[in-house]
């Protein structure tokens, strides 16, 4: 009986710590991230804005030089310090890893079979997303 109680308590603690870890991870990525993307010799600004919603994120992507305004980010997945998401409008997405400073995100934007490395920096001066 004591063994079952111990196992039940361990499972509950595991679930709680998993939810807490996901929440903390969402907080790490929430905000505005900016970088420069080199596409065939042309440089474009890439801006990703993530808003925390419960234990997950929603977001938009934009490049002012390309116009059109922000587009939705889809299927955001966070695992530890890694983030991956899709951008349906470009038939691509992003995969990256958060550095220890929690202000630098190294990764790549992919569009079809093309992969473009990019480093994003958290914009600490940007207003918090609503």
């Amino acid at each position: 009986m004591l063994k079952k109680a111990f196992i039940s308590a361990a499972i509950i603690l595991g679930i709680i710590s998993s939810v807490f870890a996901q929440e903390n991870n969402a907080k790490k990525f929430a905000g505005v991230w900016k970088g420069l993307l080199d596409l065939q010799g042309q440089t474009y600004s890439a801006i990703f804005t993530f808003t925390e919603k419960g234990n997950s994120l929603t977001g938009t992507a934009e490049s002012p030089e390309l116009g059109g305004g922000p587009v939705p980010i889809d299927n955001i997945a966070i695992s530890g310090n890694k983030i991956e998401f899709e951008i349906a409008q470009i038939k691509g997405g992003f995969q990256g890893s958060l550095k220890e400073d929690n202000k630098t995100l190294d990764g790549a934007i992919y569009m079809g079979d093309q992969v473009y490395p990019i480093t994003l920096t958290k914009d600490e001066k940007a207003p918090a997303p609503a």
Side-chain angles (χ1 to χ4, degrees), residues 42-94:
Q42 295 286 339
T43 302
Y44 299 96
S45 300
I47 303 169
F48 300 99
T49 304
F50 297 104
T51 304
E52 189 179 3
K53 299 270 185 176
N55 293 337
S56 61
L57 293 176
T58 61
T60 60
E62 65 181 301
S63 180
E65 295 86 2
L66 296 175
V71 297
I73 291 174
D74 307 299
N75 302 320
I76 301 170
I78 299 170
S79 177
N81 283 339
K82 295 183 185 294
I83 187 168
E84 182 175 354
F85 54 83
E86 297 173 5
I87 306 169
Q89 190 161 335
I90 66 167
K91 295 182 172 90
F94 175 86

Side-chain angles (χ1 to χ4, degrees), residues 18 22 26 61 63 101 129:
S18 173
Q22 287 176 358
S63 180
D101 66 3

